[in-house]
């Protein structure tokens, strides 16, 4: 059959279909929309790990998870929630696909009977008790009122604190908690050391509160967690293991220690 005869047989509809097939063959991503997955995050100003500011989630975790999503071909939607509600929607109603940050030892009673999967360590953290410099060295006996973020549990500190020994004053934000300690409205605060120092620097109060090394504190790893998506978690762990230079560069960008 000659070219002219073949051209007559290809109707405009067939030509469009043929061109569409070539496009889909060359562009596999166009075959289907990217899978949308939700990541529950804390609606706190929590630099450098992850902060919810001006209606957007930003920081190290955002950069890291966006980099993973681009490589995995998924779309991550960040859902900022107060800490208590975040636990409820991830562990109880299970409306969220992932949670960050997370750790197996946080609220273990809420996880009983659930198959929660955790990623390899994403970054380290130190939670401890910060005091004004003039209150250093007074020990646990010097704390009558301890400030904490609502939803956080100071009983994970090592050695453990007894809730009977002190009064707990909750606050919805770290900045508000820092303000209470700076003004002497609480004797000490239980908070992430890195986040507190970043916020103090932003407030122009560098050194206004310091970690008392003689008071209980704990060091651990932040992880990504899921109940619903073990396959995606496997891909995320592969990403953490294979992209060390990228991850280290993101840590340096946000002022986090690199192992």
């Amino acid at each position: 059959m000659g070219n002219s005869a073949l051209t007559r047989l290809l109707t405009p509809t067939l030509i469009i279909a043929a061109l569409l097939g070539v496009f889909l063959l060359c562009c596999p991503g166009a075959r289907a929309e990217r899978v949308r997955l939700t990541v529950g995050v804390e609606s706190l100003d929590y630099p450098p790990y992850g902060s919810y500011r001006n209606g957007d989630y930003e920081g190290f975790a955002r950069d890291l998870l966006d980099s993973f999503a681009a490589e995995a071909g998924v779309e991550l939607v960040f859902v900022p929630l107060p800490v208590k509600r975040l636990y409820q929607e991830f562990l109880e109603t299970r409306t969220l696909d992932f949670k960050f940050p997370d750790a197996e030892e946080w609220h273990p009673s809420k996880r009983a009977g659930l198959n929660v999967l955790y990623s390899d360590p994403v970054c380290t953290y130190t939670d401890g008790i910060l005091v004004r410099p003039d209150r250093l060295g007074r020990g646990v006996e010097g704390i009558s009122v301890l400030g904490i973020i609502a939803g956080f549990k100071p009983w994970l500190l090592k050695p453990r604190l007894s809730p009977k020994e002190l009064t707990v004053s909750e606050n919805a934000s770290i900045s508000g908690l820092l303000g209470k300690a700076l003004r002497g409205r609480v004797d000490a605060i239980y908070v992430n050391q890195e986040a507190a120092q970043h916020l103090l620097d932003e407030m122009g109060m560098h050194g206004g509160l310091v970690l008392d090394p003689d008071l209980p504190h704990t060091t651990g790893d932040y992880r990504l967690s899921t109940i619903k998506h073990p396959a995606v978690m496997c891909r995320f762990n592969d990403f953490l293991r294979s992209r060390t230079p990228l991850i280290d560069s993101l840590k340096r960008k946000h002022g986090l220690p690199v192992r």
Side-chain angles (χ1 to χ4, degrees), residues 85-209:
R85 186 177 165 197
L86 177 56
Y87 279 106
Q88 179 183 6
E89 297 207 11
F90 179 65
L91 295 173
E92 297 176 22
T93 62
R94 302 178 204 172
T95 57
L96 298 168
D97 295 307
F98 293 89
K99 179 181 182 295
F100 185 87
D102 206 359
E104 188 173 2
E105 61 269 22
W106 297 354
H107 294 280
S109 62
K110 296 180 183 294
R111 303 169 191 270
L114 297 177
N115 185 25
V116 184
L117 302 176
Y118 304 90
S119 73
D120 291 345
V122 172
C123 57
T124 60
Y125 70 88
T126 297
D127 287 350
I129 298 178
L130 274 64
V131 298
R132 295 190 308 276
D134 62 298
R135 297 188 65 88
L136 275 170
R138 297 192 183 186
V140 175
E141 297 78 11
I143 304 175
S144 297
V145 182
L146 178 68
I148 67 169
I149 296 296
F152 283 29
K153 295 295 182 183
W155 324 130
L156 294 176
L157 293 168
K158 300 175 183 178
R160 291 181 178 271
L161 290 175
S162 169
K164 298 179 182 179
E165 295 174 354
L166 44 82
T167 299
V168 170
S169 175
E170 291 189 335
N171 201 280
S173 72
I174 299 179
S175 297
L177 202 60
L178 296 174
K180 280 185 177 180
L182 291 168
R183 293 191 297 271
R185 294 177 57 191
V186 295
D187 300 316
I189 58 173
Y190 165 65
V191 72
N192 175 275
Q193 179 187 17
E194 198 73 39
Q197 296 305 332
H198 271 73
L199 289 170
L200 285 168
D201 288 347
E202 291 181 7
M203 296 163 61
M205 295 296 295
H206 180 79
L209 298 172

Side-chain angles (χ1 to χ4, degrees), residues 3-253:
N3 288 338
S4 59
L6 179 61
T7 301
R8 287 194 299 271
L9 288 175
L10 288 175
T11 65
T13 300
L14 291 175
I15 293 173
I16 292 172
L19 291 174
L20 179 61
V22 172
F23 173 75
L24 292 175
L25 181 63
C26 297
C27 307
R31 295 177 187 176
E33 293 184 4
R34 290 168 56 172
V35 176
R36 299 177 82 240
L37 301 170
T38 54
V39 182
V41 296
E42 297 164 350
S43 56
L44 294 173
D45 197 1
Y46 209 76
Y49 303 99
S51 294
Y52 183 62
R53 292 179 170 179
N54 302 317
D56 197 16
Y57 185 64
E58 60 184 46
F60 166 74
R62 176 65 187 263
D63 287 353
L64 175 76
L65 292 171
D66 277 349
S67 297
F68 164 70
E71 291 196 10
V74 298
E75 179 184 357
L76 296 180
V77 179
F78 296 92
V79 182
L81 295 168
V83 175
K84 291 181 179 179
R85 186 177 165 197
L86 177 56
Y87 279 106
Q88 179 183 6
E89 297 207 11
F90 179 65
L91 295 173
E92 297 176 22
T93 62
R94 302 178 204 172
T95 57
L96 298 168
D97 295 307
F98 293 89
K99 179 181 182 295
F100 185 87
D102 206 359
E104 188 173 2
E105 61 269 22
W106 297 354
H107 294 280
S109 62
K110 296 180 183 294
R111 303 169 191 270
L114 297 177
N115 185 25
V116 184
L117 302 176
Y118 304 90
S119 73
D120 291 345
V122 172
C123 57
T124 60
Y125 70 88
T126 297
D127 287 350
I129 298 178
L130 274 64
V131 298
R132 295 190 308 276
D134 62 298
R135 297 188 65 88
L136 275 170
R138 297 192 183 186
V140 175
E141 297 78 11
I143 304 175
S144 297
V145 182
L146 178 68
I148 67 169
I149 296 296
F152 283 29
K153 295 295 182 183
W155 324 130
L156 294 176
L157 293 168
K158 300 175 183 178
R160 291 181 178 271
L161 290 175
S162 169
K164 298 179 182 179
E165 295 174 354
L166 44 82
T167 299
V168 170
S169 175
E170 291 189 335
N171 201 280
S173 72
I174 299 179
S175 297
L177 202 60
L178 296 174
K180 280 185 177 180
L182 291 168
R183 293 191 297 271
R185 294 177 57 191
V186 295
D187 300 316
I189 58 173
Y190 165 65
V191 72
N192 175 275
Q193 179 187 17
E194 198 73 39
Q197 296 305 332
H198 271 73
L199 289 170
L200 285 168
D201 288 347
E202 291 181 7
M203 296 163 61
M205 295 296 295
H206 180 79
L209 298 172
V210 294
L211 181 75
D212 190 329
D214 295 327
L215 289 174
H217 58 278
T218 186
T219 298
D221 297 298
Y222 287 150
R223 302 171 188 263
L224 182 69
S225 62
T226 187
I227 298 173
K228 302 177 180 180
H229 301 284
V232 178
M233 184 63 79
C234 287
R235 296 192 66 179
F236 182 67
N237 281 334
D238 288 342
F239 171 80
L240 292 178
R241 296 163 190 161
S242 63
R243 300 305 305 274
T244 300
L246 168 64
I247 297 168
D248 286 350
S249 70
L250 293 177
K251 289 179 178 178
R252 294 188 187 96
K253 171 186 173 182

